[in-house]
């Protein structure tokens, strides 16, 4: 790691009263300098509760937007403005409205991996961890689930409700290499395979558990297994190795998110020096999106 760069970041962070949040898919050197590492909702909650006035969000745009939605009085910075998410970008307001017209009795449950203006058109948001709980608590037997079709399918198999599932996908999880997972399972026959619900259904059938990133962390802590094959973005392998140095982890499925790797230490330093680029939403969009996020937190606590 570049120690001069790191000490400059820490100095700027103190000077600007900032907190650095990093998603578990961020590169190791960014996880190492972050004040908190976690999933997008955990980090947004930390953003809302921190006393720091400046939040440097190392992740992708929809995550920084969610932090801004939950803490509009703070300055939320995304160090690389081009760090988008193809899954979030696969849904737009007019197309969602058309689907809602087709199914007027359905309520829309939206994965947080989505743009703020689409959140504003939805009944409630959900994460991969609480999607089933949100769906079951939604006061309709008919659900429009968007934008991830794999997560929607995973939840629909556990629910008696009628689902209309948006045909979107995370480009990296949806093309998880099944053969790579099988090879790793042969190499580590004693290992548990944990996969993310954004991966295709064929991987779920092989897995010991299908979990979001927070669920994977909890599962490893409670498991007696010593080795794990991790079927989600490779940054999570580093996160788990840091948390559980007595266990062994290897990535399965060759899952790599190029957008999650767009933020660098130099970009973090530049953003702290200049306090930009700032994430901002118009008030109406932010307040309507807040209502959908708040419904999720009311349901799941
Ligand atoms: S891993 Fe997939 S869902 Fe997550 S930011 Fe990358 S493209 Fe988006």
């Amino acid at each position: 790691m570049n120690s001069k760069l790191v000490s400059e970041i820490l100095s700027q962070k103190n000077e600007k009263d900032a907190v650095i949040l990093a998603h578990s898919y961020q590169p190791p050197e960014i996880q190492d300098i972050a004040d908190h590492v976690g999933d997008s909702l955990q980090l947004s909650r930390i953003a809302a509760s921190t006393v720091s006035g400046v939040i440097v969000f190392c992740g992708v745009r929809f995550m920084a937007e969610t932090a801004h939605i939950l803490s509009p009085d703070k300055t939320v910075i995304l160090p690389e403005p081009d760090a988008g998410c193809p899954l979030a970008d696969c849904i737009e307001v007019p197309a969602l409205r058309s689907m809602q017209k087709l199914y007027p009795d359905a309520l829309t449950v939206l994965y947080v991996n989505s743009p703020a203006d689409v959140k504003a058109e939805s009944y409630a948001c959900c994460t991969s961890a609480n999607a089933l709980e949100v769906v079951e608590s939604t006061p309709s037997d008919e659900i429009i689930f968007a934008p991830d079709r794999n997560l929607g399918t995973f939840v629909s198999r556990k629910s008696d409700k009628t689902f209309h599932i948006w045909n979107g996908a995370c480009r990296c999880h949806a093309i998880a290499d099944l053969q790579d997972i099988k090879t790793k399972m042969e190499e580590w026959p004693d290992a548990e395979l944990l996969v993310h619900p954004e991966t295709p259904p064929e991987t779920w059938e092989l897995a010991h558990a299908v979990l979001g990133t927070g669920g994977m962390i909890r599962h490893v802590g409670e498991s007696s297994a010593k080795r794990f094959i991790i079927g989600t973005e490779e940054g999570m392998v580093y996160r788990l190795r840091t948390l559980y140095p007595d266990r062994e982890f290897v990535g399965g499925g060759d899952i790599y998110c190029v957008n999650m790797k767009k933020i660098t230490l130099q970009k973090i330093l530049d953003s702290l020096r200049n306090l930009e680029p700032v994430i901002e939403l118009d008030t109406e969009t932010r307040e309507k999106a807040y209502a959908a996020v708040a419904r999720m937190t009311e349901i799941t606590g």
Side-chain angles (χ1 to χ4, degrees):
M1 189 182 295
N2 184 328
S3 55
K4 185 166 176 283
L5 202 48
V6 171
S7 69
E8 282 185 68
I9 288 171
L10 298 180
S11 154
Q12 281 290 322
K13 189 182 80 153
N14 289 337
E15 192 182 304
K16 301 286 169 41
D17 181 29
V19 62
I20 299 177
L21 308 181
H23 191 269
S24 306
Y25 296 165
Q26 286 289 294
E29 67 276 15
I30 291 179
Q31 294 192 31
D32 286 347
I33 57 124
D35 296 294
H36 302 278
V37 183
D39 63 37
S40 59
L41 192 65
Q42 279 171 341
L43 295 177
S44 291
R45 284 179 165 153
I46 291 168
S49 63
T50 182
V51 293
S52 301
V54 175
I55 293 150
V56 179
F57 206 115
C58 303
V60 294
R61 174 167 288 271
F62 78 80
M63 298 176 179
E65 282 183 351
T66 307
H68 171 58
I69 289 165
L70 289 174
S71 26
D73 51 332
K74 294 174 185 155
T75 302
V76 179
I77 291 170
L78 180 66
E80 169 48 69
D82 282 342
C85 166
L87 171 59
D89 293 343
C90 80
I91 185 163
E92 290 181 347
V93 169
L96 177 63
R97 283 186 182 159
S98 300
M99 194 168 180
Q100 289 169 330
K101 269 194 196 137
L102 272 180
Y103 306 110
D105 294 332
L107 287 174
T108 301
V109 174
L110 194 78
Y111 191 24
V112 287
N113 301 29
S114 51
D117 59 347
V118 180
K119 287 185 175 77
E121 302 284 322
S122 304
Y123 175 76
C125 286
C126 72
T127 67
S128 54
N130 63 28
L132 180 62
E133 197 182 350
V134 172
V135 161
E136 295 302 305
S137 303
T138 297
S140 171
D141 288 334
E142 206 178 337
I143 301 290
I144 292 172
F145 191 96
D148 190 83
R149 66 170 178 263
N150 287 336
L151 178 60
T153 301
F154 182 73
V155 175
S156 70
R157 290 183 183 180
K158 295 176 181 291
S159 171
D160 290 331
K161 297 195 177 189
T162 302
F163 275 65
H164 310 289
I165 299 174
W166 191 270
N167 190 18
C170 161
R171 276 189 209 155
C172 12
H173 284 87
I175 57 162
D177 184 344
L178 193 60
Q179 188 50 53
D180 180 68
I181 290 174
K182 287 179 177 169
T183 302
K184 300 278 171 49
M185 291 175 80
E186 281 166 21
E187 288 169 357
W188 281 14
D190 57 323
E192 287 192 353
L193 169 66
L194 311 181
V195 303
H196 196 284
E198 288 173 13
T199 61
E202 312 86 76
T203 68
W204 311 339
E205 275 128 43
L206 299 175
H208 291 77
V210 183
L211 299 161
T213 53
M216 287 184 185
I217 289 171
R218 276 190 298 281
H219 180 94
V220 171
E222 290 161 6
S223 171
S224 58
K226 295 288 175 218
R227 305 210 282 186
F228 299 85
I229 301 161
I230 302 301
T232 190
E233 211 279 340
E234 59 156 40
M236 191 60 191
V237 173
Y238 181 76
R239 175 80 178 132
L240 287 164
R241 284 179 183 153
T242 305
L243 289 172
Y244 300 105
D246 57 326
R247 317 285 184 94
E248 288 185 84
F249 302 92
V250 67
D254 201 14
I255 303 170
Y256 180 87
C257 177
V258 66
N259 281 286
M260 277 287 180
K261 312 304 183 199
K262 284 183 176 171
I263 293 174
T264 62
L265 290 175
Q266 183 63 54
K267 287 176 186 174
I268 292 172
L269 177 59
D270 293 344
S271 69
L272 276 165
R273 277 190 181 133
N274 304 321
L275 290 185
E276 60 179 22
V278 174
I279 295 293
E280 272 181 297
L281 299 165
D282 67 79
T283 305
E284 188 186 352
T285 301
R286 181 174 50 71
E287 288 178 349
K288 285 170 78 181
Y290 178 83
V293 175
R295 238 180 224 124
M296 167 180 68
T297 51
E298 278 159 23
I299 292 166
T300 60

